[in-house]
Amino acid sequence: MAMTKTQKAATVDQLVEKLEQTPTIYLTNYTGLTVEQATELRGAFRAAGVEYKVIKNTMLRLAMQRIGGYDELFDHLHGPTAVAFAEEPSAPGRVIKKYLTDKKTAIPALKGAHIEGAVYHADALEVLASLKSKDEIIGQIITLLQSPIKNVIGALQAQGGNLVGAIKTIAETAKA
């Protein structure tokens, strides 16, 4: 049954809201997946905290046009399109790459991605999947910040030990 104009407008409004709230979207071609494979893929996305939905290209294009900044992705809005919405930029890429590797298949195929204003095309899956998560980057920054402090503390402790030894030696020499 065809959607009414009111239903279409409501769908576009929901997509606009979703696009505004989500910094990362991946467009994929899912043609050729069986129902079982699609269900398994959705489960893998869900486990990674990614929402994966089939969306009509026209509705998605209208929502993207309303927001602006998605023009480079319009060329990818043809044929069957499923969209992965995520907070973490690398999560959808990792799920897709793992699925392709595990199943030894080429589906789903990345059409393009929009990550916090940057557009990536179909050939960027390797790069996207290898991006570090925000938590990993924060952990590395904390480690880097702690390293100099640990070095300073270690040096102070070592110098303190040497200083105490030197004072003891001087004190013993003065008594003799």
Side-chain angles (χ1 to χ4, degrees), residues 1-168:
M1 186 161 139
M3 294 174 75
T4 66
K5 283 187 178 186
T6 307
Q7 290 171 323
K8 289 178 184 178
T11 300
V12 171
D13 289 343
Q14 289 171 350
L15 282 171
V16 165
E17 187 176 324
K18 188 71 175 168
L19 289 170
E20 288 175 338
Q21 293 174 356
T22 310
T24 301
I25 67 162
Y26 282 56
L27 305 178
T28 65
N29 180 354
Y30 64 92
T31 303
L33 287 179
T34 66
V35 173
E36 181 182 319
Q37 290 170 325
T39 302
E40 184 179 349
L41 182 60
R42 275 194 174 95
F45 275 122
R46 199 171 312 119
V50 177
E51 183 180 346
Y52 189 66
K53 301 169 89 170
V54 173
I55 298 175
K56 288 187 169 221
N57 291 326
T58 309
M59 302 293 168
L60 187 58
R61 182 186 314 269
L62 289 170
M64 289 176 164
Q65 285 174 335
R66 193 181 300 172
I67 295 170
Y70 290 91
D71 298 351
E72 284 187 64
L73 289 181
F74 292 167
D75 291 341
H76 302 296
L77 295 177
H78 55 83
T81 303
V83 182
F85 297 94
E87 294 295 323
E88 185 60 50
S90 63
R94 289 178 185 179
V95 171
I96 292 169
K97 184 177 177 188
K98 182 173 179 2
Y99 187 85
L100 295 176
T101 303
D102 291 351
K103 302 300 178 187
K104 295 178 180 42
T105 183
I107 306 166
L110 178 68
K111 290 181 170 187
H114 187 273
I115 301 173
E116 296 182 10
V119 175
Y120 298 87
H121 298 284
D123 59 349
L125 182 60
E126 289 294 323
V127 171
L128 294 171
S130 66
L131 290 174
K132 294 185 187 258
S133 71
K134 288 180 183 178
D135 290 340
E136 290 171 334
I137 292 171
I138 290 169
Q140 286 181 335
I141 290 170
I142 289 171
T143 301
L144 289 173
L145 291 173
Q146 287 178 340
S147 274
I149 294 169
K150 287 180 182 176
N151 291 341
V152 169
I153 291 171
L156 288 175
Q157 288 174 341
Q159 289 297 330
N162 292 339
L163 184 60
V164 170
I167 292 172
K168 281 184 182 177

